[in-house]
Amino acid sequence: MGRLEQLRDPSSWRRAFVLVRRFRQEPGTANLRRFDPLVEAVLRERAALHGLGDEALLERARSAATADLADDGDLVGLVAVASEVARRRLGLEPFGVQLSAAVSMLRERVVDMATGEGKTLVGFLVAAGLAATGRRVHVLSANDYLAGRDAHAGAPLFAAFGLSCAAVVDGMDHAARHAAYRSDVVYATVHQVGFDLLRDRQRPAAAQRLVPELDAAVIDEIDAVLLDDAMVPLVLAGDAEPRPEGASLAGAVAAMTAGVEYEVDGERRNVSLLEAGIRALEEHFGVDDLYAEDHVGLLTAAHVALHAQALVHRDVHYIVADGQVRLINDARGRVADRQRWPDGLHAAIERKEGIAVTAQAEVLDQMLVETVARGYRVVTGMSGTALEASERLAEDLHLRTGTIPTNRPGIRVDERDRLYLTAERRDAAAAGRVQAAHGAGQPVLIGTASVADSERFAELLAARGVATVVLNAKNDAAEAAIIARAGEHGAVTVSTQMAGRGVDIRLAPRAAAAGGLLVLGLGRYDSARLDHQLRGRAGRQGDPGRSVFYTSLDDDVVTEHLIIGLDPRSVDPDGRINDKRFRQVYEHAQRVAEGKLLQLHRTTRRYHTATDQHRRLLLTTREALLADPAALEDYLTRIWPAGSDEPRRWTRPARRSLAVEVALYHLDRAWARHLNLLAELREGIHLRVLGRQDPLEEFNLIATDDFRTLAHEAAAATRDTLAAASEDATTLADLGLRRPSSTWTYMVADNPFGSEADRFFEFIGRALRGDRPPAISYT
């Protein structure tokens, strides 16, 4: 490769970038070359194993239980055997770079591997290596489909080591889940594991724990799981008392007009009632002052309905399928299974769409995705964009990241962005580029930001005579088949986010001759990592390919994060901007967007720190009551006066199980009340700034004080229930107590209306303008 070609080679730039960062000793620049001697030793030993009979190889595999991964010789032997087993049983012989990734991950590094470099096989090797030496391994996949696929595909390799393997996916009952979690290697999403942990934390005395103690996690698309999804709350809910449906309110809000009865801010993240809107609602409901204290509930519901009407859009934030509102995961472009907004907002959107309002929920427990990940003793993982996330992984989870070179030199050409004045001109230019590529037989993959954008651009191409296949949240079940054909001669695929798809785009020979896959991004995402994930779909394993982004000043990443106070100096007749300053403006807007997201993550983590600590204390008490008879007697002794015979009466074998159930019931009820209090507290905690108070500090003080109350509340309720119990009572029902008759799990979607800080500054701004206080914003 000549000097000029090296400069154009994206992998050369990538290597130079890594070397500069390593020289500066920045986080996330682990030197994986230190493991090269181990990889060379693996290759030598694997070559020696080629002549070994199957039985002798299996004998070597099953003796791995005595291996110590900290010992170089044991590590080399284990990876060499796993590599040879993969060749024989899976028909896949790992490349040297895959062995380098496996060795690095077994030494607890995170690896950055380009798309198409064989991360699935690396995951098999790492999971087998960890499990063969006695660790309980969870391989955390991007979705249920990949978890099931990979568990099935890797089973022959694991079986050679005497290891069992299973997947945990939606639709499995308690018994099937319990059995799957007892496998040596478990494939699942982090959401599945998190939901099952929440179920475990509500189990009564007689129930079996679903998830054994968390041990080792191998995380595919680790940056998506630990950064993009990290702050998503996983919720266990139970049935609650029904609330008024508010159809009248929904109708009143739907009749309002932007700029007349309400206004939306420039970032389209906050909406406020204007005086005309306030008067309209007051007249509609026959009230004198919507902001009076006794109308707070109506005011809150009105603002939630207004948010649903003005800010949350069908085919952008959600789709309607099978009579249900189904949310879209922005980072992955798929339907977010079991994800919903908090009850009030979700119900408001259902009313807006004219579909049945789903059951109201009472939150029983919740925790962040990041909290689940932090529960593992050992965490490693891989991603095609781990390098860009390395500083965050180091800061948040103390994980060291290094880069694995590609198996073959990359020859993909990454073009400079093409920036246009308007989205309309951007789309026209992009459609012309796609039409020309399609005419030449070159396959094209177009990345869009939403379902609506994907469908609109597909229609634009159809009008030009270009047939397309659309992959978005409405048909994501067919994604594997669609992606598998995206590299065929002349294929045109329009897709929402490509992160975590888990399927390679393989080029047909004619498509390679036509220039390989052209990846065209229609606007950039808020995170540059997502752009790189899209770009990485072209040029896998040394294939030819090109990538380019068509952008505009109308793109959300610009309009929602910057106010531009200048005009471009040079604009082509087709609307393309040739002013270098504006390329920098666009890149700055993306950095601002990423900075806001980072700040939101940090703020969310800080608000959840105290809750996580309190949950651990509660669980310690809960587990002790379940497992230790002495703990129950001690607990009861502390809630009755000294000398009382009641603690001994309730710790006799015949009555002990009921006493435990009662204590757990009241602990769980008190915890649910505590969580609801904290949720309400966060709604207005930003206003503490007006009294020169630190909102986070005040939140933690109130949360800690209430948690102390929780313990006394649960103990007193347990004492009162047991004291009033008859001798023949044997169940909670006999005591007039009832756990929720049904429970379900869901994820709370990211707040589409801004952080506490956003709401605070909106409050201050309106106060300075002399407006009435703003309606209560909804998280």
Side-chain angles (χ1 to χ4, degrees):
M1 183 183 294
R3 180 66 176 170
L4 182 60
E5 286 74 13
Q6 286 181 338
L7 291 174
R8 289 174 176 167
D9 178 8
S11 64
S12 296
W13 283 105
R14 190 179 184 85
R15 286 192 294 272
F17 178 57
V18 172
L19 289 172
V20 170
R21 293 187 64 206
R22 187 177 298 152
F23 176 77
R24 294 168 58 184
Q25 296 185 331
E26 295 183 5
T29 53
N31 182 9
L32 303 185
R33 296 297 300 271
R34 61 182 297 190
F35 300 129
D36 284 357
L38 298 181
V39 175
E40 291 165 4
V42 169
L43 289 169
R44 289 193 298 271
E45 185 154 343
R46 184 178 71 179
L49 293 174
H50 281 355
L52 205 62
D54 287 346
E55 287 301 320
L57 182 64
L58 291 179
E59 181 68 26
R60 293 279 293 272
R62 297 191 180 186
S63 66
T66 61
D68 177 3
L69 293 178
D71 179 84
D72 288 352
D74 284 359
L75 176 65
V76 166
L78 184 55
V79 175
V81 170
S83 177
E84 179 62 11
V85 170
R87 184 181 73 85
R88 297 189 191 188
R89 293 206 165 189
L90 305 182
L92 300 171
E93 185 166 13
F95 302 127
V97 292
Q98 290 173 305
L99 296 176
S100 179
V103 167
S104 300
M105 290 171 66
L106 287 169
R107 287 289 165 87
E108 298 182 28
R109 305 307 195 268
V110 171
V111 301
D112 181 293
M113 291 185 71
T115 300
E117 291 293 305
K119 289 189 287 290
T120 301
L121 178 55
V122 171
F124 292 159
L125 299 178
V126 175
L130 290 169
T133 55
R135 309 217 70 135
R136 293 185 304 277
V137 180
H138 289 176
V139 182
L140 302 180
S141 299
N143 55 57
D144 276 1
Y145 163 75
L146 294 178
R149 182 200 71 177
D150 293 347
H152 176 76
L157 184 147
F158 299 128
F161 287 86
L163 301 170
S164 55
C165 176
V168 175
V169 296
D170 274 344
M172 297 173 66
D173 60 21
H174 184 281
R177 284 174 178 272
H178 185 270
Y181 277 117
R182 268 63 199 167
S183 298
D184 301 301
V185 179
V186 179
Y187 279 80
T189 66
V190 70
H191 308 128
Q192 293 285 358
V193 176
F195 287 141
D196 286 336
L197 286 171
L198 289 173
R199 292 186 183 100
D200 278 345
R201 293 170 181 182
Q202 292 281 319
R203 76 188 194 281
Q208 286 184 306
R209 180 196 294 271
L210 271 172
V211 187
E213 191 172 358
L214 300 182
D215 188 14
V218 179
I219 308 178
D220 194 10
E221 304 296 345
I222 189 169
D223 52 335
V225 171
L226 297 187
L227 300 185
D228 298 334
D229 288 350
M231 297 301 123
V232 174
L234 307 177
V235 177
L236 177 70
D239 50 338
E241 293 297 320
R243 302 172 191 169
E245 290 199 351
S248 176
L249 177 59
V253 168
M256 291 183 175
T257 303
V260 179
E261 284 94 359
Y262 67 88
E263 64 179 358
V264 178
D265 71 0
E267 294 187 358
R268 299 199 60 79
R269 292 175 68 84
N270 293 284
V271 60
S272 304
L273 287 166
L274 298 174
E275 284 296 328
I278 295 168
R279 288 195 302 272
L281 289 175
E282 289 172 342
E283 292 172 7
H284 183 81
F285 288 101
V287 300
D288 293 331
D289 184 0
L290 188 62
Y291 287 83
E293 187 174 349
D294 54 348
H295 297 314
V296 168
L298 176 60
L299 176 63
T300 302
H303 211 57
V304 170
L306 188 59
H307 276 304
Q309 184 69 32
L311 297 181
V312 187
H313 302 297
R314 184 171 179 166
D315 291 343
V316 177
H317 302 105
Y318 66 93
I319 63 172
V320 176
D322 302 323
Q324 294 180 330
V325 169
R326 307 192 69 189
L327 276 62
I328 298 171
N329 183 312
D330 289 339
R332 294 195 173 102
R334 297 186 184 85
V335 165
D337 289 331
R338 292 187 301 185
Q339 190 164 2
R340 58 182 286 141
W341 287 293
D343 275 346
L345 178 59
H346 204 88
I349 294 167
E350 290 169 328
R351 294 186 191 108
K352 167 186 169 182
E353 294 292 344
I355 61 179
V357 176
T358 52
Q360 301 299 301
E362 177 191 27
V363 174
L364 303 177
D365 198 3
Q366 68 178 47
M367 63 179 170
L368 298 177
V369 164
E370 183 182 87
T371 305
V372 180
R374 287 179 181 273
Y376 289 92
R377 294 189 182 94
V378 174
V379 174
T380 185
M382 51 200 165
S383 170
T385 49
L387 179 63
E388 289 87 341
S390 59
E391 290 187 32
R392 292 278 310 280
L393 292 172
E395 176 187 333
D396 297 352
L397 292 153
H398 310 294
L399 296 173
R400 291 174 291 176
T401 304
T403 303
I404 301 295
T406 55
N407 185 49
R408 297 175 181 170
I411 60 172
R412 184 185 72 223
V413 177
D414 297 330
E415 299 179 12
R416 177 176 290 171
D417 286 10
R418 299 183 178 224
L419 178 63
Y420 291 81
L421 275 174
T422 66
E424 183 178 8
R425 293 188 173 189
R426 174 202 70 187
D427 290 354
R433 176 71 179 270
V434 173
Q435 184 178 17
H438 172 68
Q442 184 176 24
V444 185
L445 173 67
I446 300 107
T448 63
S450 68
V451 172
D453 284 346
S454 67
E455 293 178 342
R456 177 182 48 75
F457 195 70
E459 291 172 1
L460 184 61
L461 291 174
R464 292 172 173 254
V466 178
T468 64
V469 177
V470 178
L471 173 59
N472 59 35
K474 292 184 178 179
N475 66 339
D476 57 9
E479 69 174 65
I482 292 173
I483 294 172
R485 302 191 63 180
E488 293 182 355
H489 183 262
V492 177
T493 307
V494 184
S495 174
T496 51
Q497 228 317 308
M498 289 298 295
R501 295 288 181 183
V503 179
D504 285 342
I505 298 177
R506 298 181 181 275
L507 286 182
R510 290 179 65 200
L517 182 67
L518 168 64
V519 166
L520 188 151
L522 210 59
R524 284 187 175 269
Y525 298 100
D526 279 358
S527 169
R529 284 188 301 105
L530 300 182
D531 296 336
H532 297 158
Q533 287 167 359
L534 174 63
R535 194 191 298 277
R537 290 290 165 175
R540 64 173 293 279
Q541 287 287 335
D543 285 341
R546 302 183 79 87
S547 72
V548 62
F549 283 85
Y550 279 67
T551 59
S552 82
L553 298 184
D554 288 342
D555 293 353
D556 288 347
V557 72
V558 176
T559 60
E560 293 184 2
H561 303 293
L562 285 185
I563 298 175
I564 302 175
L566 69 162
D567 295 321
R569 295 168 179 161
S570 174
V571 180
D572 290 346
D574 66 351
R576 185 178 177 183
I577 298 172
N578 292 311
D579 189 335
K580 182 180 179 181
R581 297 175 304 164
F582 276 75
R583 288 199 298 271
Q584 295 171 341
V585 163
Y586 200 102
E587 291 167 358
H588 179 62
Q590 191 174 53
R591 288 194 296 272
V592 171
E594 290 181 318
K596 287 183 177 180
L597 184 60
L598 174 58
Q599 186 57 46
L600 177 61
H601 280 195
R602 286 172 172 165
T603 301
T604 302
R605 181 184 298 111
R606 287 197 291 265
Y607 274 102
H608 279 264
T609 298
T611 308
D612 287 344
Q613 292 171 345
H614 296 158
R615 182 185 289 104
R616 285 192 291 270
L617 292 171
L618 180 76
L619 289 176
T620 298
T621 300
R622 212 177 185 284
E623 292 300 314
L625 290 173
L626 281 168
D628 185 1
L632 175 64
E633 183 169 359
D634 179 64
Y635 185 79
L636 297 181
T637 298
R638 285 186 278 116
I639 65 176
W640 258 288
S644 172
D645 189 53
E646 287 296 304
R648 286 189 295 276
R649 186 168 75 89
W650 280 103
T651 52
R652 294 168 188 159
R655 310 215 75 190
R656 181 184 180 278
S657 62
L658 180 58
V660 171
E661 284 199 58
V662 169
L664 296 180
Y665 171 85
H666 286 301
L667 278 172
D668 294 341
R669 296 305 304 156
W671 179 248
R673 181 201 58 74
H674 178 68
L675 289 178
N676 286 316
L677 171 73
L678 298 187
E680 293 174 6
L681 180 63
R682 278 199 67 182
E683 278 300 315
I685 197 68
H686 56 288
L687 300 181
R688 300 296 176 107
V689 174
L690 296 175
R692 298 179 181 274
Q693 296 172 321
D694 182 325
L696 177 61
E697 183 178 329
E698 289 298 304
F699 177 88
N700 286 333
L701 285 172
I702 295 170
T704 300
D705 286 345
D706 190 69
F707 183 72
R708 294 193 187 102
T709 301
L710 177 156
H712 295 299
E713 171 190 329
T718 299
R719 182 192 61 224
D720 293 346
T721 299
L722 295 180
S726 63
E727 286 294 330
D728 57 353
T730 59
T731 66
L732 289 181
D734 294 338
L735 302 175
L737 305 179
R738 181 185 73 88
R739 286 187 174 273
S741 57
S742 63
T743 60
W744 62 95
T745 53
Y746 61 89
M747 293 173 279
V748 180
D750 288 342
N751 176 11
F753 313 129
S755 65
E756 287 83 359
D758 295 329
R759 297 199 293 276
F760 166 69
F761 287 115
E762 180 194 12
F763 180 92
I764 294 297
R766 291 184 63 87
L768 292 174
R769 293 197 304 269
D771 297 346
R772 287 206 227 183
I776 298 169
S777 192
Y778 196 83
T779 298

